[in-house]
Amino acid sequence: MLHWEQMKQVLLGLELTEIQTILGPGLPLWRARQLYEALYRQRAEQLQDVTTLPGELREALAEQWDVGWPRPKRCYEAADGTRRYLLSLTDGKTVESVLMPEDGRDTICISTQIGCPVNCKFCLTAKLGLERNLTAGEIVGQVLSVCRDQGLSPQDRRVNVVMMGMGEPLLNLPNVLKAVRLLTDSHGVGLSVRRITLSTSGIIPKIEELGREAVRPKLAISLNASTEEQRQELMPVTRKYPLKELMEACRRYPLRPWERLTFEYVLLRGVNDSDADARRVVRLIANLKCKVNLIPFNPGPGLAYETPAPEQVASFQAIVRRAAPCFIRKPRGREIYAACGQLKLVSLE
Ligand code: SAH
Ligand code: SF4
């Protein structure tokens, strides 16, 4: 049987117009604004804390509604300061978020789905399959929850959000876009869109859809291979969305003046990490306004790949740099399975 609390509806994730609707036509718009600001600007965790609303209204609302923050259930901390959070959602399922503190910056890596339907061969999350999409409130809630735990304000310019946790954001686009609107609204959470990045495995029609949005995060593409065949093998989604067409979509993508594309490239020893691969990457991205992040493979149980030697990573980087700025992503929190592609499946006791 469901607990009464779980049967309540969730406020987090509602936009102003939706809040207006639930408050009903009898109340002025400014009441809806007060509740909106309490949810997203003051970041109230419970209706009781929304003291700008009269007590009676709060109580009436509380009969049917809950704020609905994801609750930290477990938190693992790595030696490098990375923290991996397991957050409980209102239906009892859990989702993962990661906080990566770096000098002067805090990057929060959030999930957009529970599991992932895209079957990349080097990724642990893939082994879960898709359990369900996250709601906009659950996506926003991860940022609020991690910030609260760390005593951070999302309005702080040092806070960055990357949608690189569990899931393929472009296969949950309506909820992801709604979450981005809520996160970037200056009357609400107040993050800048320039501080949010969405990473995709390359769902071409959705990249095009994203490009047409007025409020959209920066775009990162997981390239991960230098030829059509190699990409098909590593990322079966390529059969539907070929590398050639993906690169054409990247060339057509309407970048804003301040923006560049990011390409991510997981380096798998002896598979896609040769100098010849690097030269092919140079040709693929030639003349694109972009940067490249190399991610040496993070191992996980049941993944049949190896991490390349540091010299090979350096050699790959030196070649790609001929075409674009190219960085090596430090593995973050590998020992707690917080690094790229390691989320879910592994629980540490
Ligand atoms: N689904 C989206 C975002 C989540 S994955 C995407 O694929 O882009 C985030 C990044 O982690 C991707 O660039 C992916 O290629 C990378 N990744 C997945 N498994 C990895 C692993 N085992 N080691 C290193 N990077 C990995
Ligand atoms: Fe999904 Fe990204 Fe993992 Fe591929 S790499 S399975 S798209 S989470």
Side-chain angles (χ1 to χ4, degrees):
M1 210 181 84
L2 280 175
H3 187 262
W4 170 241
E5 282 289 312
Q6 291 172 340
M7 287 163 60
K8 288 192 190 174
Q9 291 174 276
V10 169
L11 290 168
L12 200 66
L14 297 181
E15 286 177 307
L16 183 63
T17 49
E18 295 170 304
I19 293 179
Q20 243 181 304
T21 308
I22 66 158
L23 290 186
L27 289 174
L29 174 63
W30 52 268
R31 280 284 179 228
R33 283 216 184 93
Q34 282 177 322
L35 180 51
Y36 179 92
E37 289 190 2
L39 291 175
Y40 301 109
R41 185 185 274 269
Q42 284 103 43
R43 303 185 291 283
E45 284 183 70
Q46 310 181 47
L47 269 169
Q48 284 137 265
D49 304 337
V50 187
T51 46
T52 44
L53 296 184
E56 269 174 35
L57 178 56
R58 254 182 286 158
E59 277 155 36
L61 275 172
E63 282 177 19
Q64 285 183 49
W65 297 89
D66 223 359
V67 175
W69 277 43
R71 301 273 160 211
K73 184 173 167 192
R74 299 287 304 265
C75 178
Y76 305 102
E77 186 164 2
D80 63 9
T82 302
R83 285 167 161 247
R84 171 177 160 225
Y85 289 88
L86 248 88
L87 303 173
S88 295
L89 305 174
T90 49
D91 67 352
K93 296 199 184 299
T94 52
V95 74
E96 304 200 15
S97 315
V98 178
L99 174 89
M100 296 168 283
E102 273 167 303
D103 353 287
R105 273 203 340 185
D106 287 295
T107 302
I108 303 173
C109 174
I110 59 171
S111 298
T112 53
Q113 298 183 309
I114 305 185
C116 181
V118 183
N119 197 12
C120 302
K121 296 301 174 219
F122 43 79
C123 175
L124 267 191
T125 306
K127 300 203 180 271
L128 288 175
L130 176 66
E131 236 180 276
R132 71 167 172 83
N133 278 333
L134 294 179
T135 63
E138 289 165 340
I139 297 170
V140 172
Q142 292 172 67
V143 177
L144 303 189
S145 204
V146 172
C147 280
R148 168 69 43 95
D149 190 74
Q150 288 292 298
L152 294 168
S153 162
Q155 277 161 354
D156 190 323
R157 296 176 58 99
R158 296 174 320 155
V159 173
N160 290 279
V161 170
V162 294
M163 293 179 170
M164 292 187 189
M166 289 165 60
E168 169 47 60
L170 293 188
L171 293 179
N172 184 16
L173 191 54
N175 289 330
V176 163
L177 287 174
K178 190 178 185 196
V180 170
R181 287 195 300 270
L182 290 168
L183 286 170
T184 57
D185 182 3
S186 58
H187 300 290
V189 183
L191 258 158
S192 153
V193 272
R194 298 185 189 208
R195 290 193 276 122
I196 307 180
T197 303
L198 175 160
S199 171
T200 179
S201 57
I203 315 290
I204 298 169
K206 301 288 176 185
I207 292 175
E208 286 163 352
E209 217 176 302
L210 182 71
R212 290 193 289 270
E213 284 297 319
V215 181
R216 61 187 151 97
K218 292 193 288 184
L219 180 61
I221 312 264
S222 297
L223 184 61
N224 296 345
S226 70
T227 69
E228 203 74 65
E229 301 68 45
Q230 202 182 52
R231 199 168 193 271
Q232 272 185 24
E233 174 129 5
L234 297 173
M235 304 176 74
V237 69
T238 307
R239 289 183 206 137
K240 204 159 162 201
Y241 304 117
L243 178 58
K244 183 166 176 289
E245 289 172 28
L246 175 62
M247 296 314 295
E248 283 164 7
C250 289
R251 288 184 188 280
R252 283 195 306 270
Y253 192 74
L255 289 170
R256 288 155 286 191
W258 47 268
E259 187 178 13
R260 56 173 72 217
L261 283 173
T262 301
F263 289 101
E264 292 156 289
Y265 194 103
V266 181
L267 287 165
L268 309 166
R269 179 183 210 137
V271 176
N272 66 356
D273 68 337
S274 70
D275 289 357
D277 283 305
R279 285 192 289 270
R280 281 191 289 267
V281 170
V282 166
R283 284 199 288 277
L284 283 173
I285 64 168
N287 301 319
L288 266 169
K289 196 177 166 203
C290 69
K291 67 169 180 173
V292 180
N293 283 335
L294 302 176
I295 318 176
F297 173 66
N298 292 309
L303 298 179
Y305 296 101
E306 288 171 56
T307 311
E311 306 79 63
Q312 190 47 40
V313 176
S315 168
F316 200 99
Q317 180 191 32
I319 296 169
V320 173
R321 273 196 172 146
R322 294 175 199 159
C326 178
F327 306 92
I328 300 168
R329 279 251 222 109
K330 272 189 294 181
R332 303 284 317 212
R334 259 191 201 163
E335 78 273 28
I336 55 165
Y337 289 96
C340 298
Q342 291 189 308
L343 295 188
K344 201 70 180 191
L345 273 188
V346 185
S347 93
L348 304 167
E349 288 311 325

